[in-house]
């Protein structure tokens, strides 16, 4: 199967600038990335084809060879002499380096432009709240163990009055390159470990890191209507970067504890109401609790059965970022009386003696079907 034109793969004109190609690559890479299409082999093939095309066209020498000779420039024995297309000679040690270069500005600047300072790590904090707090929202404070800027050196990593010097090995880039034929291999500078600078007089408090371990107190606003498993991002509240680099983010993972009375399904709440047999038979009014701590009154019709559901409109959970509320559904559970007094037993026995099928329509229907079933078997 012949290869598609690399410009067609990226969806750009042959006169496209580097910025236009990079923008096109970003959009398509996000669309075809295997993590977003785990069960789509076609997306994976498109993703590989896309990266091969961008790997060639982003390099000026390779692009010129491709414009002159086409795919033959990178095939074994081709006139262009580049031999072996794909990722082999792109100046990336692996595909993740390509993604870091292209998407670095979208991911908090993890790749620095020259000094080698690395963005701080993102942090995770697990927080459990009650259903009432999820309903009403909550403002609270949390203590997060993290790395913060060293106050002694103000994040520079050096003693007062000292200044870091540019690494002579990498000239401040944090990377060194080695030419191998037509290809350029790039790796982290072993002298400065990618920092791009050398601190000759490191801070005695942070040992040149520019940061120290501390517990940081943060104010957190939990919005009303939040659901179990929600993740809240606190930008810039993660671990501070090395030697004054940008901090990472803090991700707050929320879990909502089980409630003794209510079960939640989206914005609606469900609860079971134990109903005395006499109230179920005669009817009446009962009170039920609501999530905001008040009481609501329910009218029970005479002859109410177990499983009967009452809907209290607007008595459910708050809806996130909305004035609306869900509903509360109350399910009746008719209780059989226990530990009866002698008088109570006597009254029930009198009732049982006077009972007919009109007072128990479900039982009447059941026994009618029961008789029909055994009658059919005898026949």
């Amino acid at each position: 199967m012949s290869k598609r034109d690399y410009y067609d793969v990226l969806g750009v004109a042959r006169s496209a600038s580097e910025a236009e190609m990079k923008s096109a690559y970003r959009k398509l890479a996000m669309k075809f990335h295997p993590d977003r299409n785990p069960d789509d082999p076609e997306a994976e093939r498109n993703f590989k084809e896309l990266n091969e095309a961008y790997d060639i066209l982003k390099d000026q020498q390779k692009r010129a060879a491709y414009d002159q000779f086409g795919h033959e420039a990178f095939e074994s024995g081709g006139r262009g002499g580049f031999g072996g297309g794909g990722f082999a000679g792109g100046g990336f040690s692996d595909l993740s380096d390509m993604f870091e270069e292209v998407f670095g500005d979208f991911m908090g600047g993890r790749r620095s432009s020259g000094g080698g300072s690395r963005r701080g790590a993102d942090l995770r904090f697990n927080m459990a709240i009650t259903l009432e707090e999820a309903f009403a929202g909550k403002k609270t404070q949390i203590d997060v163990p993290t790395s913060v800027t060293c106050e002694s050196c103000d994040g520079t990593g050096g003693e007062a009055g000292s200044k870091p010097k540019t690494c002579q090995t990498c000239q401040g880039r944090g990377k060194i390159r080695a030419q191998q034929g037509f290809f350029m291999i790039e790796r982290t500078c072993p002298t400065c470990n990618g920092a791009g600078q050398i601190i000759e007089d490191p801070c005695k408090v942070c040992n040149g890191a520019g940061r120290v371990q501390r517990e940081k107190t943060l104010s957190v606003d939990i919005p009303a209507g939040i659901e179990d498993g929600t993740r809240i991002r606190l930008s810039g509240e993660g671990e501070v970067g090395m030697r004054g680099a940008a901090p990472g983010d803090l991700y707050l993972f929320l879990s909502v504890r089980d409630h003794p009375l209510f079960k939640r399904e989206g914005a609606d709440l469900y609860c079971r109401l134990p109903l005395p047999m006499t109230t179920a038979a005669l009817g009446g009014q009962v009170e039920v609790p609501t999530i905001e701590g008040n009481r609501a009154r329910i009218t029970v019709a005479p002859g109410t059965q177990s499983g009967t559901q009452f809907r209290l409109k607007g008595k459910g959970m708050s809806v996130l970022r909305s004035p609306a509320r869900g509903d509360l559904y109350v399910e009746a559970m008719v209780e059989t009386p226990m530990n009866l007094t002698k008088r109570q037993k006597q009254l029930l026995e009198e009732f049982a003696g006077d009972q007919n099928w009109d007072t128990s329509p479900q039982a009447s229907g059941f026994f009618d079907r029961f008789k029909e079933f055994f009658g059919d078997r005898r026949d």
Side-chain angles (χ1 to χ4, degrees):
M1 181 177 177
S2 61
K3 289 186 176 181
R4 293 169 60 199
D5 183 89
Y6 284 153
Y7 290 100
D8 290 342
V9 172
L10 285 172
V12 297
R14 300 186 76 87
S15 59
S17 64
E18 291 184 13
E20 290 173 332
M21 287 194 297
K22 189 172 184 179
S23 176
Y25 172 76
R26 283 174 175 159
K27 295 177 182 178
L28 293 174
M30 295 297 288
K31 177 180 178 181
F32 295 122
H33 196 283
D35 289 347
R36 292 193 167 192
N37 306 274
D39 301 320
D40 187 357
E42 186 65 27
E44 183 177 357
R45 286 192 291 270
N46 290 334
F47 184 71
K48 291 180 179 178
E49 182 184 45
L50 174 67
N51 281 289
E52 180 178 334
Y54 182 69
D55 186 43
I56 296 299
L57 297 182
K58 70 180 181 60
D59 184 284
Q60 292 183 358
Q61 291 182 345
K62 291 182 183 180
R63 183 178 181 180
Y66 180 76
D67 288 343
Q68 184 175 1
F69 300 109
H71 292 297
E72 291 184 11
F74 306 97
E75 295 175 355
S76 179
R79 287 175 294 170
F82 273 82
F87 307 112
F92 297 96
S93 58
D94 53 38
L95 186 57
S96 63
D97 286 336
M98 179 185 288
F99 255 68
E100 189 177 3
E101 178 186 273
V102 177
F103 293 98
D105 53 341
F106 285 110
M107 302 171 69
R110 286 175 172 80
R111 174 182 288 266
S112 62
S113 59
S117 297
R118 293 183 177 272
R119 175 183 181 272
D122 294 335
L123 299 178
R124 170 173 178 157
F125 188 91
N126 297 326
M127 182 178 181
I129 61 175
T130 65
L131 188 63
E132 289 87 351
E133 290 170 337
F135 163 76
K138 179 181 181 180
K139 291 185 178 181
T140 186
Q141 290 186 330
I142 58 175
D143 295 323
V144 182
T146 183
S147 293
V148 298
T149 301
C150 175
E151 295 180 356
S152 178
C153 64
D154 200 24
T156 64
E159 281 291 320
S162 67
K163 293 184 178 181
K165 295 184 178 180
T166 301
C167 176
Q168 296 302 310
T169 304
C170 64
Q171 301 301 316
R173 293 185 61 252
K175 303 279 187 180
I176 58 174
R177 293 179 176 178
Q179 186 82 29
Q180 292 186 359
F182 288 103
F183 308 120
M184 188 75 69
I185 306 299
E186 188 177 75
R187 67 178 189 273
T188 301
C189 175
T191 304
C192 63
N193 293 320
Q197 296 177 325
I198 301 295
I199 297 179
E200 296 182 338
D201 188 14
C203 171
K204 295 180 176 58
V205 176
C206 64
N207 295 318
R211 59 183 185 179
V212 293
Q213 287 293 320
R214 291 284 187 276
E215 195 171 70
K216 182 166 60 173
T217 300
L218 297 174
S219 295
V220 177
D221 189 3
I222 308 297
I226 205 80
E227 295 197 29
D228 184 72
T230 299
R231 185 183 71 171
I232 297 177
R233 174 173 172 259
L234 302 179
S235 180
E237 297 295 353
E239 189 178 73
V240 73
M242 292 284 287
R243 298 174 188 171
D249 299 328
L250 173 66
Y251 290 91
L252 189 65
F253 284 77
L254 293 171
S255 60
V256 181
R257 300 190 188 101
D258 291 336
H259 196 275
L261 292 179
F262 301 112
K263 278 195 172 183
R264 179 182 186 180
E265 291 187 12
D268 295 329
L269 291 176
Y270 294 81
C271 77
R272 290 183 174 181
L273 172 66
L275 201 61
M277 183 184 70
T278 51
T279 305
L282 301 174
Q285 289 191 331
V286 294
E287 290 185 336
V288 295
T290 59
I291 188 65
E292 63 263 45
N294 298 326
R295 295 181 181 182
R297 190 178 295 273
I298 291 177
T299 299
V300 178
T304 294
Q305 304 295 313
S306 287
T308 300
Q309 200 171 67
F310 302 91
R311 177 190 178 198
L312 300 180
K313 191 174 181 180
K315 293 296 184 180
M317 290 293 292
S318 304
V319 177
L320 187 65
R321 300 183 182 90
S322 169
R325 282 185 61 178
D327 300 330
L328 171 61
Y329 292 89
V330 180
E331 181 182 349
M333 295 177 57
V334 180
E335 283 193 308
T336 302
M338 300 174 60
N339 303 319
L340 299 175
T341 65
K342 186 176 180 179
R343 174 58 177 163
Q344 288 171 333
K345 288 182 180 180
Q346 181 182 352
L347 290 173
L348 282 178
E349 288 169 355
E350 291 177 7
F351 172 76
D354 294 336
Q355 189 175 8
N356 55 51
W357 291 125
D358 292 337
T359 61
S360 303
Q362 292 190 29
S364 175
F366 172 79
F367 285 111
D368 286 342
R369 292 190 295 272
F370 183 86
K371 291 176 182 179
E372 291 175 3
F373 174 76
F374 280 100
D376 291 341
R377 290 178 65 90
R378 284 195 296 269
D379 293 340

